[in-house]
Amino acid sequence: MEALKTQLIEEFGVNSIVEDFGELTLTVDSADIVRSCLKLRDVFLFDTLVDLCGVDYLTYGHSEWQSDASSSGFSRGRDTQTKDTNIDKERFAVVYHLLSVGKNYRLRVKAFVEEAQPMIKSVTGIWAVADWYEREAFDLFGILFENHKDLRRILTDYGFVGHPLRKDFPMIGEVEMRYDEELGRVVYEPVSIEPNVNVPRVIRK
């Protein structure tokens, strides 16, 4: 790992590498993601993309359990999630988990994207397996992958509203569906149930 870390620092700079829990994380500029991934595949021999996922850093660093729950049993997990402007982080990131089969190296690559229009170039031309991973990140986080040939939802319905893994997406959802006997089809309607507590009740003796 030390040899790999040294080589990555020489190529990408010392500030781009973090080592935690025995793993290396390389942070690259989203505008350079294709060039960086090509270099990681061809020079560093990371021939396999193990996983690709989106991350939402909204309320990053906050704990859902830090509150006065001694009487009510409710924590701030019941409250609407809002972004803390004091947190020095962009909101969305795309994370790539790479494997070099020949050298038995593993690497995590992270690229932040703009919150207003989360977009990054597709890496399907580098690792074909990224196809469905990128569709999943688009579906659940709303991250757009430029030059992806078939970027459409993969887990939710075609008419689904919103992106369910975003931190500000309501846990009860935006709409509910039912089968309408008269129309002979499934219809979508506004959610009719009341928001519920999503943390366990605290019981103290």
Side-chain angles (χ1 to χ4, degrees), residues 5-59:
K5 182 178 179 180
T6 300
Q7 294 170 1
L8 289 170
I9 288 174
E10 291 176 356
E11 184 64 42
F12 296 97
V14 66
N15 294 327
S16 61
I17 300 292
V18 174
E19 181 179 355
D20 278 321
F21 305 106
E23 297 181 347
L24 294 177
T25 300
L26 170 67
T27 302
V28 299
D29 192 315
S30 60
D32 297 329
I33 190 63
V34 171
R35 181 184 63 84
S36 298
C37 286
L38 279 171
K39 191 167 294 183
L40 289 169
R41 184 193 67 180
D42 299 336
V43 177
F44 292 87
L45 304 181
F46 285 100
D47 48 4
T48 303
L49 174 67
V50 177
D51 188 27
L52 181 157
C53 63
V55 179
D56 184 354
Y57 282 96
L58 184 71
T59 69

Side-chain angles (χ1 to χ4, degrees), residues 10-194:
E10 291 176 356
E11 184 64 42
F12 296 97
V14 66
N15 294 327
S16 61
I17 300 292
V18 174
E19 181 179 355
D20 278 321
F21 305 106
E23 297 181 347
L24 294 177
T25 300
L26 170 67
T27 302
V28 299
D29 192 315
S30 60
D32 297 329
I33 190 63
V34 171
R35 181 184 63 84
S36 298
C37 286
L38 279 171
K39 191 167 294 183
L40 289 169
R41 184 193 67 180
D42 299 336
V43 177
F44 292 87
L45 304 181
F46 285 100
D47 48 4
T48 303
L49 174 67
V50 177
D51 188 27
L52 181 157
C53 63
V55 179
D56 184 354
Y57 282 96
L58 184 71
T59 69
Y60 177 73
H62 284 223
S63 173
E64 300 296 333
W65 304 97
Q66 293 176 357
S67 66
D68 181 13
S70 59
S71 59
S72 68
F74 300 148
S75 83
R76 62 178 296 279
R78 180 187 176 102
D79 301 331
T80 301
Q81 303 293 292
T82 56
K83 186 174 182 180
D84 188 340
T85 55
N86 295 322
I87 298 175
D88 187 22
K89 284 282 187 182
E90 286 126 325
R91 179 172 174 186
F92 296 110
V94 181
V95 180
Y96 309 78
H97 294 271
L98 307 182
L99 168 67
S100 172
V101 175
K103 293 191 173 184
N104 196 26
Y105 287 161
R106 292 181 183 270
L107 179 67
R108 178 185 299 110
V109 179
K110 185 187 299 183
F112 286 93
V113 295
E114 295 180 2
E115 179 178 353
Q117 188 177 16
M119 180 179 291
I120 193 169
K121 291 186 183 299
S122 172
V123 295
T124 52
I126 303 173
W127 300 289
V129 71
D131 186 354
W132 280 17
Y133 291 144
E134 291 181 349
R135 285 180 58 189
E136 181 182 41
F138 161 68
D139 189 0
L140 302 182
F141 290 93
I143 299 172
L144 300 170
F145 292 88
E146 188 178 347
N147 298 327
H148 192 289
K149 295 182 178 179
D150 188 25
L151 193 62
R152 55 192 168 94
R153 292 186 181 270
I154 191 171
L155 293 174
T156 60
D157 192 18
Y158 293 115
F160 192 86
V161 177
H163 305 283
L165 283 189
R166 288 190 174 190
K167 295 283 183 68
D168 54 2
F169 189 83
M171 295 196 70
I172 60 172
E174 301 283 4
V175 296
E176 62 186 28
M177 56 185 286
R178 65 177 177 82
Y179 182 78
D180 190 294
E181 292 285 353
E182 294 182 1
L183 296 176
R185 62 179 175 84
V186 171
V187 295
Y188 289 85
E189 298 171 337
V191 174
S192 61
I193 61 175
E194 292 293 324

